[in-house]
């Protein structure tokens, strides 16, 4: 159960940083989803090249999660994929 909460928390942090860097406007749900997908991509890359020493987490996890989320937003921008935005009325 704690792992699920941890994935959501890291996904939120990575997604918020990525959408700030890419100037994307999306709902909190899609921010977390992009962050989690970025975490999967970033985690896959870090585990391919360097295995974690304590087998629980990698020290560069948040950094590569953020880079993965930025990559996802960049690809979505190039493919003109838009996420639902929060409407302020």
């Amino acid at each position: 159960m704690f792992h699920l909460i941890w994935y959501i928390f890291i996904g939120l942090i990575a997604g918020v940083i990525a959408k700030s860097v890419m100037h994307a406007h999306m709902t909190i749900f899609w921010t977390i989803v992009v962050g989690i997908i970025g975490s999967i991509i970033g985690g896959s890359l870090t585990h391919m090249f360097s295995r974690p020493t304590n087998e629980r987490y990698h020290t560069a996890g948040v950094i590569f999660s953020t880079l993965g989320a930025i990559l996802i937003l960049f690809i979505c921008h190039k493919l003109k994929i838009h996420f639902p935005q929060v409407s302020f009325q």
Side-chain angles (χ1 to χ4, degrees):
M1 182 66 183
F2 182 70
H3 290 330
L4 181 62
I5 294 170
W6 186 248
Y7 289 141
I8 292 171
F9 181 69
I10 295 298
L12 177 64
I13 291 172
V16 166
I17 294 171
K19 80 176 194 177
S20 296
V21 168
M22 295 299 292
H23 302 291
H25 302 284
M26 62 183 117
T27 62
I28 192 75
F29 173 76
W30 286 107
T31 302
I32 293 171
V33 169
V34 166
I36 291 173
I37 294 171
S39 295
I40 293 169
I41 292 172
S44 299
L45 288 174
T46 56
H47 283 285
M48 258 194 306
F49 296 112
S50 172
R51 301 292 290 166
T53 56
N54 63 1
E55 297 298 326
R56 289 198 160 210
Y57 68 97
H58 203 278
T59 55
V62 176
I63 296 169
F64 278 95
S65 296
T66 304
L67 291 176
I70 289 171
L71 178 68
I72 294 295
L73 288 177
F74 179 75
I75 291 170
C76 288
H77 175 72
K78 289 297 179 183
L79 295 176
K80 297 185 184 341
I81 298 172
H82 300 285
F83 295 99
Q85 297 181 1
V86 178
S87 61
F88 297 106
Q89 295 180 1

